[in-house]
């Protein structure tokens, strides 16, 4: 790998030689390119430290008593690579070329006024084969424990909520992020 040379400070009337151009322009640009390539950046496309998506529901969704209900997402504030489409609004699907380990987290807020009516069991379902399932419960607002799972292209995630008594989702969100080292 070429070495970096601090560029020269020029003043009016100073002459620029071929050697200086080679040192400060060619060699420093080669050094920058080599450093980027060493970190996996080999094109001019935008690179992030992770890919994934965040989907939300900010309109009311009924939760019948003791019925497991799939959250239907209404918005996609962030999606790096086509994980979500409104035509498949209950699912987040791993795109082709995105196999790997994912961090998954969720939040559900309901409109219930008492603990008995706001008890929720939340399951994060992964297909095929239900690779993961988490459950949590609480008053009004649930934040799922962050979990890690391995996922392959075509597999999908969905959030399911069960209320002890009839309730309503006021807000929900699901994050799925694949990190790179």
């Amino acid at each position: 790998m070429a070495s970096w040379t601090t560029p020269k400070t020029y003043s009016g009337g100073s002459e620029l030689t071929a050697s200086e151009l080679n040192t400060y322009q060619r060699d420093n640009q080669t050094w920058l390119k080599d450093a980027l390539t060493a970190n996996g950046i080999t094109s001019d496309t935008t690179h992030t430290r992770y890919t994934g998506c965040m989907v939300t529901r900010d309109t009311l969704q009924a939760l019948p008593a003791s019925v497991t209900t799939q959250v239907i997402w209404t918005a996609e504030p962030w999606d790096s690579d086509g994980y979500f489409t409104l035509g498949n609004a209950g699912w987040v699907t791993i795109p082709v070329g995105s196999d790997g380990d994912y961090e998954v987290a969720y939040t559900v807020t309901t409109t219930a006024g008492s603990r008995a009516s706001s008890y929720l069991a939340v399951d994060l379902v992964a297909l095929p084969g239900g690779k993961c399932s988490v459950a949590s419960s609480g008053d009004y607002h649930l934040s799922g424990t962050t979990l890690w799972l391995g996922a392959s292209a075509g597999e999908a995630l969905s959030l399911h909520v069960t209320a002890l008594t009839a309730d309503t989702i006021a807000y929900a969100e699901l994050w799925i992020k694949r990190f790179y080292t």
Side-chain angles (χ1 to χ4, degrees), residues 87-109:
N88 196 16
W91 296 92
V92 173
T93 304
I94 306 301
V96 173
S98 295
D99 298 6
D101 293 324
Y102 285 85
E103 176 188 28
V104 181
Y106 65 86
T107 298
V108 177
T109 304

Side-chain angles (χ1 to χ4, degrees), residues 165-180:
T165 59
D167 204 343
T168 304
I169 295 173
Y171 178 81
E173 70 181 38
L174 175 69
W175 280 91
I176 175 170
K177 294 186 259 184
R178 178 178 175 223
F179 286 86
Y180 297 90

Side-chain angles (χ1 to χ4, degrees), residues 93-161:
T93 304
I94 306 301
V96 173
S98 295
D99 298 6
D101 293 324
Y102 285 85
E103 176 188 28
V104 181
Y106 65 86
T107 298
V108 177
T109 304
T110 64
T111 59
S114 69
R115 181 166 176 74
S117 63
S118 65
Y119 174 83
L120 300 176
V122 179
D123 291 315
L124 184 65
V125 178
L127 291 181
K131 281 189 171 181
C132 68
S133 180
V134 295
S136 59
S137 61
D139 258 338
Y140 314 116
H141 177 87
L142 296 175
S143 289
T145 1
T146 298
L147 61 118
W148 290 88
L149 63 101
S152 300
E155 292 182 336
L157 297 171
S158 178
L159 189 64
H160 297 250
V161 180

Side-chain angles (χ1 to χ4, degrees), residues 33-71:
K33 180 185 177 298
D34 290 347
L36 291 171
T37 300
N39 284 289
I41 301 173
T42 57
S43 70
D44 61 355
T45 58
T46 302
H47 292 273
T48 58
R49 295 291 293 166
Y50 61 87
T51 63
C53 75
M54 173 194 184
V55 289
T56 62
R57 177 170 191 93
D58 57 4
T59 58
L60 299 178
Q61 180 177 342
L63 294 173
S66 302
V67 174
T68 300
T69 304
Q70 182 181 33
V71 177

Side-chain angles (χ1 to χ4, degrees), residues 10-16:
Y10 292 93
S11 58
S14 57
E15 191 175 306
L16 182 62

